[in-house]
Amino acid sequence: MKAMIFAAGLGTRLRPLTDTMPKALVPVAGKPMLEHVIGKLKAAGYDELVVNIHHLGEQIVDFLRTNDNFGITIRLSDERDALLDTGGGLARAASLLFPMTEATPAEDCALVHNVDILSNCDLKQLMEHHRSSGVGATLLVSKRETARYLLFDADDYLCGWVNKKTLETKPVGFRYEEGKYREYAYSGIQVVDAAFCRQMPQDKYSVIDYYLSIASRREVRCYVQDDLRLMDIGKPETLEQAEEFLAL
């Protein structure tokens, strides 16, 4: 199975740690964030990975080389010339995830995982759910309390987004109605179909904003794991809590 790890972020929330190392290599419970994610993916059966790099990217190159790519195939999507955000980063990586020189089976897809997320998600089950759904992308979501929610209809198709503090909505023209939608927070983990991924524009943009812009095409759905535990370790306060989280 294939996967991509978003590891190109600047890690501004973790300064001054990230002044001298990329966020992906910041240690969490004794191991770099990137190693935790690679290990979870490998344990779930993912053996072809793409990792994007930007800030101090040569350190990630050296880290993977030193560890012999952890015994699996890992390719690098190099964004050191320009950081492309999550949408542009995924679009650039499409040629590495799904080479046009290879025959692409209809069910070919890849899991996409933020480097700063820890979870108990069953990543193999998420992939199987996506393959049976027939959509372009499946977003792992949770019911956690936040100000900003992705909004889905009764069939779990993405419809819009709302910031409940400011009442800002997306996409343009979308009108939010309390109680009309299923409201979830995005987890930083998703699965994308090969053909869908190849159609994404080559530019710099947020992948979620792109999905919202095409919501009317009903190609993006959500997946809810009832017992999901999730931690964003891209913040100083959660770095300290991560060891306890991983021990559960």
Side-chain angles (χ1 to χ4, degrees):
M1 292 190 292
K2 300 178 180 182
M4 178 180 182
I5 301 174
F6 283 139
L10 297 174
T12 54
R13 295 179 298 173
L14 287 174
R15 286 176 177 163
L17 288 173
T18 49
D19 288 339
T20 56
M21 72 173 70
K23 176 173 67 173
L25 296 186
V26 170
V28 177
K31 295 180 183 178
M33 292 184 189
L34 181 59
E35 186 172 348
H36 282 288
V37 178
I38 290 173
K40 184 172 178 63
L41 288 165
K42 184 178 176 180
Y46 292 83
D47 55 2
E48 292 184 51
L49 308 187
V50 171
V51 178
N52 70 344
I53 60 172
H54 175 72
H55 174 60
L56 301 174
E58 64 279 0
Q59 293 186 28
I60 296 177
V61 174
D62 291 342
F63 172 73
L64 293 173
R65 183 186 297 119
T66 298
N67 288 280
D68 196 25
N69 285 342
F70 295 92
I72 57 177
T73 299
I74 300 181
R75 301 180 180 91
L76 294 175
S77 183
D78 196 337
E79 297 179 28
R80 282 178 287 185
D81 58 336
L83 187 60
L84 296 172
D85 206 337
T86 50
L90 180 54
R92 175 174 289 190
S95 62
L96 297 172
L97 288 165
F98 313 111
M100 293 298 291
T101 55
E102 296 180 3
T104 304
E107 72 275 12
D108 203 5
C109 45
L111 184 136
V112 183
H113 199 301
N114 290 3
V115 77
D116 55 4
I117 295 295
L118 296 176
S119 81
N120 68 337
C121 177
D122 186 329
L123 300 180
K124 184 176 181 180
Q125 186 176 68
L126 174 59
M127 174 65 79
E128 290 171 352
H129 175 85
H130 172 81
R131 283 178 169 164
S132 67
S133 70
V135 296
T138 300
L139 309 181
L140 176 68
V141 297
S142 67
K143 298 178 181 179
R144 65 183 172 85
E145 187 173 341
T146 181
R148 295 167 293 183
Y149 290 96
L150 291 175
L151 307 173
F152 299 84
D153 65 17
D155 295 316
D156 292 334
Y157 286 99
L158 180 65
C159 298
W161 172 94
V162 64
N163 183 325
K164 289 200 170 183
K165 288 186 177 179
T166 65
L167 298 184
E168 177 189 3
T169 60
K170 298 177 184 179
V172 174
F174 176 79
R175 296 184 64 182
Y176 172 70
E177 296 180 35
E178 188 78 38
K180 183 177 180 179
Y181 302 99
R182 295 179 178 178
E183 303 178 358
Y184 296 117
Y186 177 48
S187 70
I189 303 171
Q190 61 174 302
V191 181
V192 293
D193 184 76
F196 179 82
C197 188
R198 286 175 175 151
Q199 293 171 5
M200 295 175 65
Q202 298 287 335
D203 204 347
K204 179 179 180 179
Y205 58 93
S206 157
V207 71
I208 296 299
D209 282 348
Y210 172 70
Y211 292 165
L212 289 165
S213 75
I214 63 166
S216 62
R217 287 163 40 180
R218 293 171 67 83
E219 291 190 74
V220 181
R221 295 181 76 181
C222 67
Y223 174 78
V224 182
Q225 180 177 310
D226 292 334
D227 64 343
L228 182 68
R229 291 188 297 107
L230 189 81
M231 178 176 282
D232 176 351
I233 51 175
K235 300 176 286 188
E237 59 270 25
T238 51
L239 281 179
E240 299 175 3
Q241 303 165 16
E243 189 165 352
E244 181 179 343
F245 182 95
L246 288 165
L248 294 176

